[in-house]
Amino acid sequence: MATREIVTLPDPVLRQKARKVPAVTEDVRTLIDDMVETMRAAPGVGLAAPQVGDSRRVIVVEYAEPPEQEGEPARPPKLFTLVNPEIVRRAPDQVKGVEGCLSVPGYLGEVERFESITIKGLNRAGLPVRIKAAGWLARIFQHEIDHLEGTLFIDRAEEVWKGEEKEIESIAAD
Ligand code: ZN
């Protein structure tokens, strides 16, 4: 495994529609593993392949759900690696939240996302998977899948602002 360089605006790869992956080969698995290492090193909670300059439909997400009740211990983070992810169901409710992006460093924006979604795709072994996500996890998935279409959070945000360093640290970047 190796970390890869995270590309930032105005790199054109961030604006391209990523290609569908025909099969989960060893090369794709290496890309996934490198993306996981790069995401953790950043650190971030998600990464899409175009963010490391590879225009293929691959995303990785790692997120720890907050405890159900205050005072409970933090839950362990869960890692998702998805090839050709596709949103197949969207709940009608949308919610606003503040997002940042490793490819748009220093900026934040408030973005409306679906509160819960169902995604299908292939896992690292090439097997079909279906994931139901709600809340912040659903937001991260929507942000990453947007990257595969060449869409950035700044396109969806009503307002984008330069984040204070402290504020950026407290908001998980993806
Ligand atoms: Zn991003």
Side-chain angles (χ1 to χ4, degrees):
M1 294 219 291
T3 58
R4 300 195 187 189
E5 199 186 326
I6 295 175
V7 299
T8 56
L9 275 182
D11 195 308
V13 72
L14 294 169
R15 290 309 196 174
Q16 283 168 20
K17 189 176 156 79
R19 297 188 310 276
K20 204 168 174 182
V21 175
V24 183
T25 56
E26 209 43 51
D27 174 56
V28 175
R29 276 190 276 274
T30 301
L31 171 64
I32 289 171
D33 294 346
D34 287 355
M35 284 171 63
V36 170
E37 196 169 322
T38 305
M39 169 180 67
R40 286 174 176 166
V45 293
L47 202 64
Q51 293 183 276
V52 293
D54 191 317
S55 196
R56 285 184 284 178
R57 302 186 82 80
V58 176
I59 63 168
V60 299
V61 169
E62 189 167 50
Y63 177 66
E65 295 280 358
E68 260 174 24
Q69 280 173 10
E70 231 179 288
E72 281 183 9
R75 300 196 211 176
K78 233 177 144 179
L79 176 67
F80 302 90
T81 61
L82 276 177
V83 175
N84 301 333
E86 203 185 319
I87 298 172
V88 290
R89 249 183 106 160
R90 296 166 172 85
D93 290 349
Q94 298 209 31
V95 282
K96 283 184 180 170
V98 176
E99 296 183 16
C101 180
L102 296 170
S103 296
V104 192
Y107 289 88
L108 298 171
E110 192 174 53
V111 185
E112 215 165 27
R113 301 283 190 189
F114 292 101
E115 210 279 323
S116 66
I117 53 169
T118 304
I119 306 151
K120 68 174 194 183
L122 302 174
N123 67 12
R124 194 179 173 285
L127 300 169
V129 287
R130 214 179 162 86
I131 297 162
K132 277 188 179 172
W136 204 260
L137 182 61
R139 174 173 298 277
I140 300 167
F141 275 119
Q142 289 169 84
H143 178 115
E144 300 312 332
I145 291 170
D146 266 358
H147 272 298
L148 305 180
E149 297 299 320
T151 300
L152 300 171
F153 82 98
I154 52 173
D155 307 333
R156 295 195 185 271
E158 272 177 38
E159 196 195 340
V160 176
W161 63 91
K162 248 188 146 69
E164 300 286 329
E165 227 165 84
K166 254 193 184 156
E167 193 184 7
I168 288 177
E169 267 173 32
S170 70
I171 290 164
D174 43 24

